[in-house]
């Protein structure tokens, strides 16, 4: 999960599918991690993409973990 935070911190807002493609994991696996990160308030939703995917952004709390 810290790798996902580092990716979002470095590259800005991304959809879950773009993150999954970048790190070469299946989207459902990445989606589950992103949901957990959201529950812990490390990421927030910026907007909705297609097919139940969302655009995620790292919060300040998440930035402190990503460093």
């Amino acid at each position: 999960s810290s790798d996902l935070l580092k990716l979002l911190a470095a590259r800005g807002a991304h959809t879950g599918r773009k993150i999954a493609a970048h790190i070469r994991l299946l989207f459902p696996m990445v989606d589950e991690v992103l949901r957990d990160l959201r529950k812990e308030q490390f990421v927030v939703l910026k907007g909705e993409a297609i097919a139940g995917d969302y655009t995620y952004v790292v919060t300040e709390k998440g930035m402190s973990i990503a460093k």
Side-chain angles (χ1 to χ4, degrees):
S1 62
S2 65
D3 289 339
L4 290 181
L5 288 174
K6 287 177 184 178
L7 175 69
L8 284 170
R11 298 184 178 244
H14 271 318
T15 65
R17 292 185 194 282
K18 280 188 178 181
I19 295 167
H22 184 76
I23 61 175
R24 296 182 177 156
L25 288 176
L26 297 174
F27 172 67
M29 295 170 63
V30 172
D31 189 47
E32 186 175 328
V33 173
L34 287 168
R35 288 174 194 249
D36 289 342
L37 290 172
R38 191 169 156 225
K39 286 178 190 173
E40 296 294 325
Q41 299 179 343
F42 294 131
V43 298
V44 293
L45 300 180
K46 183 175 181 184
E48 188 171 355
I50 56 170
D53 194 5
Y54 297 92
T55 300
Y56 294 89
V57 178
V58 178
T59 63
E60 284 188 35
K61 184 178 177 182
M63 285 293 225
S64 66
I65 301 294
K67 290 181 180 179

